Amino acid sequence: MREPSGTRTGYHHGDLENALVAAATELAREGGPEAVVLREAARRVGVSPTAAYRHFANQADLLHAVKAKGQRRLARTMAGLAEGLGAQGGPRERFYRLGQGYVRFAVEEPGLYRTAFCHVSVAPLQGSREGGGDMSSAFDLLVGVLDELESAGVLRPGLREGAEFAAWSAVHGLAMLILDGSLAVLPEPALEQAIDRTLRMVITGLTVD
């Protein structure tokens, strides 16, 4: 059976895999990880499922790629807010901005955020360009700023070990309460206050004056 013309164009440009990931990312944005279906991504790109299976072994393989993309976008959002401080911002301010970026991404991209943290039981194909997680990018931002706090002498003694897990848990829990819990019903001013209070309490608990 002849593939649609879109398939030939994708192969000609060597970009069918990226096109499928882009289509699947939009599916995730619309409906979370459950919406990432290989056949639907193929339909949106304009190719047959057979063509899509040449790049992704199964739905889980494609979901791995979208999950990694979501994690990279999360890290870019966090880093973008922190970099906006410029040279004048200290580690406390950068920590705050990283937390803001984390929650902002969750609120603005709930489907992709959920996909970035979804569990995928099947490992990606060996050598896949998009496969696997890239959590280290966002996690490394947190580790880095905690190291900065310690180097600046403002991190409370004895708290460095495991601090990234405690901080991550607090901010992730806040994000999930906003998306799926009781904080979802808060009006905008109260929600902003809840985000601010949570981030400042985490910083206060970790640092000394």
Side-chain angles (χ1 to χ4, degrees):
M1 180 183 294
R2 291 183 60 187
E3 302 290 358
S5 59
T7 303
R8 295 197 302 273
T9 301
Y11 279 120
H12 176 71
H13 293 293
D15 203 33
L16 179 54
E17 182 175 345
N18 287 331
L20 288 166
V21 173
T25 300
E26 288 306 306
L27 290 170
R29 294 179 73 186
E30 294 167 11
E34 296 82 8
V36 179
V37 178
L38 188 57
R39 286 180 174 272
E40 177 60 19
R43 187 192 68 79
R44 292 196 177 193
V45 172
V47 301
S48 71
T50 301
Y53 280 115
R54 292 171 189 157
H55 292 273
F56 297 97
N58 47 47
Q59 181 173 334
D61 198 30
L62 179 62
L63 185 56
H64 265 287
V66 180
K67 177 175 179 172
K69 192 166 187 175
Q71 290 168 358
R72 288 193 293 273
R73 288 191 179 182
L74 167 63
R76 285 201 298 270
T77 300
M78 294 167 65
L81 279 184
E83 289 166 2
L85 285 168
Q88 296 181 349
R92 283 191 182 92
E93 290 77 14
R94 279 193 289 279
F95 187 106
Y96 185 89
R97 291 289 188 91
L98 289 174
Q100 270 191 322
Y102 189 99
V103 177
R104 175 178 294 183
F105 183 84
V107 172
E108 294 180 353
E109 294 280 7
L112 195 53
Y113 176 83
R114 289 187 174 97
T115 304
F117 289 97
C118 72
H119 175 69
V120 186
S121 58
V122 180
L125 289 177
Q126 184 70 28
S128 173
R129 286 188 292 154
E130 294 282 354
D134 195 24
M135 185 56 66
S136 61
S137 56
F139 189 70
D140 285 349
L141 290 171
L142 175 58
V143 170
V145 77
L146 285 168
D147 288 344
E148 287 182 46
L149 287 168
E150 186 175 42
S151 297
V154 296
L155 193 70
R156 290 184 185 275
L159 290 188
R160 177 63 192 88
E161 185 176 356
E164 52 267 41
F165 302 114
W168 191 294
S169 297
V171 180
H172 185 77
L174 171 65
M176 294 308 299
L177 283 170
I178 293 171
L179 293 184
D180 300 324
S182 57
L183 297 186
V185 300
L186 289 181
E188 188 69 23
L191 183 59
E192 290 299 324
Q193 185 181 59
I195 295 170
D196 177 75
R197 290 277 177 86
T198 301
L199 294 175
R200 294 195 185 282
M201 284 180 67
V202 172
I203 295 169
T204 300
L206 288 171
T207 61
V208 294
D209 293 332

